[in-house]
Amino acid sequence: MHSFVELIARKRDGLPLGSSEIRGIIEGFSSGAMADYQMSALLMAIYLRGLSEDETVALTFAMLHSGKVLSLPEVPGVKVDKHSTGGVGDKISICLAPLVAACGVPVPMVSGRGLGHTGGTLDKLEAIPGFQTSLSTEEFARLVKELGTCMIGQTKDIAPADKRIYALRDVTATVECIPLIVASILSKKLAEGIDGLVLDVKVGRGAFMKNVEAARNLATALVRVGTSAGKKVTAVLTRMDTPLGLTIGNANETREALEILHGKGPADVLACTMLLGKEMLMLGGVVANEAEATKKLEAAISSGRALETMARMVAAQKGDARVVADPSLLRMHSAEVSITATRDGFVTALDALELGLSGVAMGAGRNRAEDSVDHAVGIELHQKVGAQVRCGDTLAVLQLRKASDADKVKERVLAAFTIADEAVAEGPLALERIVSR
Amino acid sequence: MHSFVELIARKRDGLPLGSSEIRGIIEGFSSGAMADYQMSALLMAIYLRGLSEDETVALTFAMLHSGKVLSLPEVPGVKVDKHSTGGVGDKISICLAPLVAACGVPVPMVSGRGLGHTGGTLDKLEAIPGFQTSLSTEEFARLVKELGTCMIGQTKDIAPADKRIYALRDVTATVECIPLIVASILSKKLAEGIDGLVLDVKVGRGAFMKNVEAARNLATALVRVGTSAGKKVTAVLTRMDTPLGLTIGNANETREALEILHGKGPADVLACTMLLGKEMLMLGGVVANEAEATKKLEAAISSGRALETMARMVAAQKGDARVVADPSLLRMHSAEVSITATRDGFVTALDALELGLSGVAMGAGRNRAEDSVDHAVGIELHQKVGAQVRCGDTLAVLQLRKASDADKVKERVLAAFTIADEAVAEGPLALERIVSR
């Protein structure tokens, strides 16, 4: 084993690192033998020199085995999870997990919190009074077995090296690096004891990947490395130029996700849920083809079984299950400020990034990991791309603790709407699909 | 002012940093606002993306102004120092500083300690009983004025940011980076209050720069940046394939340097001293040309004035000045182990790197900055390149605390000698000379 300095020098010079060397690095970092400042120099060298697929697989496994790895042998069936690379208004996990579980595919889901302009599933779920996202790994396994799904946060047992490395990347300009993103995502997801994984790789203004090529590179790397790890992996590239659905916040997004399980909710949220649900059922092996998957998902909603799974999960995780039956119980702050159109025309663009950042500025999200969020502030969109509006029409409503809190964001929210003379058609939700070889 | 993360990202992407941004980085690092792990990520980005000449000047000044900057207005004349990039057996500073001072050019000299295979002037000077290298900057200035020279170590006042950055570079594989080397050397040297600087850039097996091109690039950058800082700068590239002189160690090297001031000593040590001394006298403006410089240096030795300056300096720095008059008082350990030739032939190579590392292994140098050195262990060379030897002739003598300490290095020292059938001529000492534009 070479010294850490020699290994950093190797990557600095563009030379490959072996699996045992990468394992030695992560073990050394975990034990404290390798310092933070050495890891950050290595991360920058990786950012600029890259990692091969073999190196990325080795890094993923080393980070995975820095913590506890669940195997869930007591849960029968092909266990499948979904991961989204993050977008604005992306509340899909909340309705997707119980829906897919109700169709017979177990969904052990470990989610994250919001950071930057994107929201996080845990923050949204915690808008349900009492809902607990910090369960032990034993409790998690028990609930997945009993209910078919459970949704928790990354415990300190799961890939602790990833947690520390992510924190370093965040402050050393090494976040946007495909092999490091792949290892971070997969080391956490492989720790859940899954057999298959559906990846929703977002692309566009409101996503981390701004163009299709970058998103495709990330999706391809995720699928390859996940497949090398022995998992069935499917990635779909979906558009994230405008927010998903009509809500941006926490309680309001959870309400919108629950409405999907009631057979209601916005068309784009339903479409994204169905798209990812079909992929999960196919990976789970409970359907023969896409048409059968669609039928099964629709039946789980119309029969109320998906809603029932959600209610049982919420109750088991100490949440107030009445909100599942009546999502309108998820209240927002009562101070409302309307944003109105300043001209006649058609909404031709709705900037997800600006709306996401406005939500963060209002207190719905975080700039730093240690910030807390206000579950009851948010933005409700009244018009989306394609809508015809007249000057004075309400475009959006800001929901706040007090009306004056709107001052710092209302110009920004208005500017997020582009209104033009001619209507434009929105492109399709799904752009590409990348599957295991 | 951008955040540190944004500035790291700029350099990561190969974009230039402005002077005020670089100053902000060093100020932030000094105050603790920028963390070690952020600096090390930036250092790796600089290693891989480079710094322009303007950026290097800005970094040098920012590091310089992280501490106290002497101006020595009370010392008349053009003040000139010498810096060597480090070699094996390089004891030149010890005889050069008093020699040049005796010729009327003030030499305020801040030196370093040995690290890795190269020795350090401070360690060698401290072989003189009682000699103090930690003086206050006020005391330093007073002695330069009174005696014409003073030799101290880097105080905590001088370029403290450089000290911390150097320690980080050492453990993050970012040492061998020309702009960082330039900023490190010059930020310390500019803090001494000098007007001119002669740089001895070593090139070869025993130097950090292994080939002439790398050494020329470093020398050119040092001269350009030093000139931009308003100083007169001359660099010479000198060969460092074999050790300078016949001694490697501390007390023995100081003894050899003192012998030069007695008009004795090995030819190569004298030649290097004269070469650098001429450059210093020319920068100091006390001679019109090289021939005049040679005459002045020779006269300072033959008249005893250089020796007298050395004796006054040693006494002023609390050292035992009797060793100046009688260098043989600088004793080595009495256990001696001879290394003998195993064949007849001519010495055609003498590996400075291997001999330097052997010296470190014997205790004469340091692997880590916190190690201490033994001033009385060392290697005495009996044969150098060009010598004809017979099997059984003594090539070198190891001087140790006990003879068994030789076991771990004697093979290595023997292997450092290449003995062949045909003699080869050694190349010239000085390879190139680079001056201010």
Side-chain angles (χ1 to χ4, degrees):
Chain A
M1 177 70 186
H2 292 278
S3 74
F4 297 125
V5 180
E6 287 172 295
L7 294 173
I8 297 168
R10 287 262 297 283
K11 183 46 64 187
R12 176 198 75 192
D13 295 340
L15 300 172
L17 298 175
S19 299
S20 63
E21 290 171 333
I22 290 174
R23 198 164 54 240
I25 286 169
I26 296 301
E27 285 170 1
F29 183 61
S30 297
S31 73
M34 184 182 191
D36 281 356
Y37 47 77
Q38 292 179 308
M39 178 57 79
S40 65
L42 178 64
L43 293 170
M44 183 58 79
I46 289 173
Y47 186 103
L48 290 169
R49 294 295 200 172
L51 286 184
S52 69
E53 199 173 310
D54 285 348
E55 289 175 305
T56 309
V57 170
L59 180 61
T60 303
F61 273 84
M63 280 162 52
L64 168 64
H65 290 290
S66 72
K68 198 182 265 189
V69 181
L70 299 184
S71 63
L72 302 180
E74 65 274 39
V75 180
V78 178
K79 296 162 282 289
V80 180
D81 190 13
K82 186 255 339 185
H83 177 80
S84 160
T85 58
V88 177
D90 185 357
K91 66 277 295 174
I92 304 299
S93 288
I94 296 169
C95 42
L96 184 66
L99 174 58
V100 170
C103 293
V105 175
V107 182
M109 190 178 272
V110 177
S111 298
R113 298 195 177 275
L115 191 61
H117 69 279
T118 65
T121 298
L122 295 183
D123 295 323
K124 295 170 194 175
L125 281 171
E126 285 172 354
I128 300 172
F131 194 90
Q132 296 298 313
T133 57
S134 305
L135 306 186
S136 68
T137 46
E138 294 72 22
E139 184 75 351
F140 176 67
R142 189 179 67 76
L143 292 181
V144 174
K145 188 184 175 192
E146 276 182 31
L147 312 175
T149 188
C150 181
M151 299 174 82
I152 61 170
Q154 185 181 356
T155 69
K156 65 181 193 318
D157 296 339
I158 293 178
D162 168 67
K163 209 164 184 170
R164 284 182 56 212
I165 289 172
Y166 188 83
L168 271 181
R169 284 168 57 207
D170 196 38
V171 292
T172 57
T174 50
V175 169
E176 304 92 347
C177 172
I178 285 183
L180 295 178
I181 295 172
V182 167
S184 177
I185 291 174
L186 292 182
S187 64
K188 281 175 289 200
K189 288 290 162 184
L190 297 182
E192 297 169 350
I194 53 171
D195 306 300
L197 180 61
V198 174
L199 293 154
D200 183 7
V201 179
K202 299 286 190 196
V203 52
R205 270 294 284 173
F208 287 111
M209 298 290 145
K210 302 297 178 196
N211 61 65
V212 172
E213 200 192 339
R216 185 190 299 134
N217 288 341
L218 174 58
T220 305
L222 282 164
V223 169
R224 283 192 183 158
V225 173
T227 304
S228 294
K231 308 298 174 188
K232 299 182 190 183
V233 186
T234 303
V236 286
L237 268 53
T238 66
R239 267 190 323 106
M240 177 40 69
D241 292 311
T242 64
L244 260 173
L246 298 169
T247 52
I248 297 163
N250 292 290
N252 56 351
E253 289 203 41
T254 298
R255 191 194 71 226
E256 201 172 53
L258 291 170
E259 284 164 0
I260 294 294
L261 300 179
H262 281 276
K264 302 177 201 160
D268 59 345
V269 178
L270 179 62
C272 193
T273 304
M274 294 297 285
L275 173 74
L276 299 170
K278 281 188 285 186
E279 297 293 353
M280 292 176 78
L281 296 196
M282 288 191 286
L283 282 193
V286 298
V287 294
N289 54 45
E290 218 176 306
E292 213 179 294
T294 304
K295 243 167 74 182
K296 210 173 176 85
L297 292 166
E298 285 172 348
I301 294 175
S302 60
S303 67
R305 275 186 292 114
L307 203 59
E308 193 191 316
T309 300
M310 183 68 181
R312 292 179 66 198
M313 184 189 81
V314 169
Q317 295 191 233
K318 312 274 194 296
D320 182 351
R322 288 174 302 176
V323 304
V324 178
D326 181 4
S328 70
L329 292 172
L330 288 163
R331 295 296 176 107
M332 300 294 279
H333 289 308
S334 55
E336 296 193 336
V337 172
S338 293
I339 307 298
T340 53
T342 53
R343 58 164 288 185
D344 295 352
F346 295 90
V347 178
T348 56
L350 188 46
D351 190 326
L353 178 60
E354 289 300 314
L355 291 171
L357 292 171
S358 300
V360 173
M362 290 165 67
R366 294 182 176 77
N367 279 313
R368 294 175 307 172
E370 61 273 27
D371 294 345
S372 63
V373 304
D374 184 337
H375 297 108
V377 301
I379 304 172
E380 189 166 342
L381 302 171
H382 283 224
Q383 308 293 346
K384 291 196 70 176
V385 170
Q388 185 172 13
V389 296
R390 293 201 158 272
C391 186
D393 280 359
T394 297
L395 297 173
V397 173
L398 310 183
Q399 296 154 320
L400 313 122
R401 198 172 281 279
K402 58 183 197 294
S404 61
D405 290 348
D407 296 348
K408 58 181 181 234
V409 296
K410 57 191 183 189
E411 291 303 320
R412 191 170 199 173
V413 172
L414 178 61
F417 286 82
T418 305
I419 299 175
D421 293 335
E422 301 285 332
V424 295
E426 261 205 307
L429 175 70
L431 300 171
E432 291 187 20
R433 177 171 184 269
I434 293 159
V435 297
S436 296
R437 283 162 299 186
Chain B
M1 177 71 186
H2 293 279
S3 73
F4 297 125
V5 180
E6 288 171 294
L7 295 174
I8 298 168
R10 287 261 300 283
K11 184 43 64 188
R12 176 197 74 191
D13 295 340
L15 301 170
L17 299 174
S19 298
S20 63
E21 290 170 334
I22 290 174
R23 200 165 52 239
I25 286 169
I26 297 300
E27 285 170 3
F29 183 61
S30 298
S31 73
M34 184 181 193
D36 280 355
Y37 47 77
Q38 293 179 307
M39 178 56 80
S40 66
L42 177 64
L43 292 170
M44 183 58 78
I46 290 172
Y47 186 103
L48 289 169
R49 294 295 201 173
L51 286 183
S52 70
E53 198 172 310
D54 285 349
E55 290 175 305
T56 309
V57 170
L59 180 60
T60 302
F61 272 86
M63 280 162 52
L64 169 65
H65 289 290
S66 72
K68 198 181 266 188
V69 181
L70 299 186
S71 63
L72 304 180
E74 65 274 39
V75 180
V78 178
K79 295 163 281 289
V80 181
D81 190 14
K82 185 261 323 189
H83 177 81
S84 160
T85 59
V88 177
D90 185 357
K91 67 276 294 172
I92 304 298
S93 289
I94 296 170
C95 42
L96 184 65
L99 174 58
V100 170
C103 293
V105 176
V107 183
M109 190 178 273
V110 177
S111 299
R113 298 196 177 274
L115 192 62
H117 69 281
T118 65
T121 297
L122 295 184
D123 295 323
K124 295 169 194 175
L125 281 171
E126 285 171 353
I128 299 172
F131 195 90
Q132 296 298 314
T133 57
S134 306
L135 306 186
S136 69
T137 45
E138 293 73 21
E139 184 75 351
F140 176 67
R142 189 178 67 78
L143 291 182
V144 174
K145 188 184 174 193
E146 278 182 31
L147 312 175
T149 188
C150 180
M151 299 175 83
I152 61 168
Q154 186 180 354
T155 69
K156 65 181 195 317
D157 296 340
I158 293 179
D162 167 68
K163 209 164 183 170
R164 284 182 56 213
I165 289 172
Y166 189 84
L168 271 180
R169 284 168 59 205
D170 196 38
V171 292
T172 58
T174 50
V175 169
E176 305 91 347
C177 172
I178 284 182
L180 296 178
I181 295 172
V182 168
S184 177
I185 291 174
L186 291 182
S187 64
K188 282 175 289 199
K189 287 291 162 185
L190 297 183
E192 298 169 349
I194 53 172
D195 305 300
L197 180 62
V198 174
L199 293 153
D200 183 7
V201 179
K202 299 288 188 193
V203 52
R205 270 294 284 172
F208 287 111
M209 297 291 145
K210 302 299 180 194
N211 61 66
V212 171
E213 199 192 339
R216 184 190 300 133
N217 289 340
L218 174 59
T220 305
L222 282 164
V223 170
R224 283 193 182 155
V225 172
T227 305
S228 294
K231 307 300 175 187
K232 300 184 192 181
V233 186
T234 302
V236 285
L237 269 52
T238 65
R239 267 190 324 107
M240 177 40 67
D241 292 309
T242 64
L244 259 175
L246 297 170
T247 53
I248 298 164
N250 292 289
N252 55 350
E253 289 202 39
T254 299
R255 190 195 71 224
E256 200 172 53
L258 291 171
E259 284 164 1
I260 295 294
L261 300 179
H262 282 275
K264 302 177 200 163
D268 60 347
V269 177
L270 178 63
C272 193
T273 304
M274 293 298 284
L275 173 74
L276 299 170
K278 281 188 284 185
E279 297 294 353
M280 291 176 78
L281 295 197
M282 288 191 287
L283 283 192
V286 298
V287 293
N289 55 44
E290 218 175 308
E292 212 178 297
T294 304
K295 243 167 76 181
K296 210 173 177 86
L297 291 166
E298 286 172 349
I301 293 174
S302 60
S303 67
R305 274 185 293 111
L307 203 62
E308 192 191 317
T309 300
M310 183 68 182
R312 292 179 66 198
M313 184 188 83
V314 169
Q317 296 192 234
K318 312 274 194 298
D320 181 352
R322 288 174 302 174
V323 303
V324 179
D326 181 4
S328 69
L329 293 173
L330 288 163
R331 293 296 176 105
M332 300 295 278
H333 289 309
S334 54
E336 296 194 334
V337 172
S338 293
I339 307 296
T340 53
T342 54
R343 57 163 290 185
D344 295 352
F346 294 90
V347 178
T348 56
L350 188 45
D351 190 325
L353 178 60
E354 289 300 313
L355 291 170
L357 292 171
S358 299
V360 174
M362 289 165 67
R366 295 181 175 78
N367 280 311
R368 294 176 305 175
E370 62 271 28
D371 294 344
S372 63
V373 303
D374 183 337
H375 296 108
V377 301
I379 302 172
E380 188 167 342
L381 302 171
H382 284 222
Q383 308 294 344
K384 291 196 71 178
V385 171
Q388 185 171 13
V389 296
R390 293 201 156 272
C391 184
D393 280 0
T394 298
L395 298 173
V397 173
L398 311 184
Q399 296 154 318
L400 312 122
R401 197 172 281 278
K402 58 182 194 295
S404 61
D405 289 348
D407 295 349
K408 58 181 182 234
V409 296
K410 58 190 182 189
E411 291 302 320
R412 192 170 198 173
V413 172
L414 178 61
F417 285 82
T418 305
I419 299 176
D421 293 335
E422 302 285 332
V424 295
E426 261 205 305
L429 174 70
L431 300 171
E432 292 187 19
R433 178 171 184 268
I434 294 158
V435 297
S436 296
R437 282 164 300 190

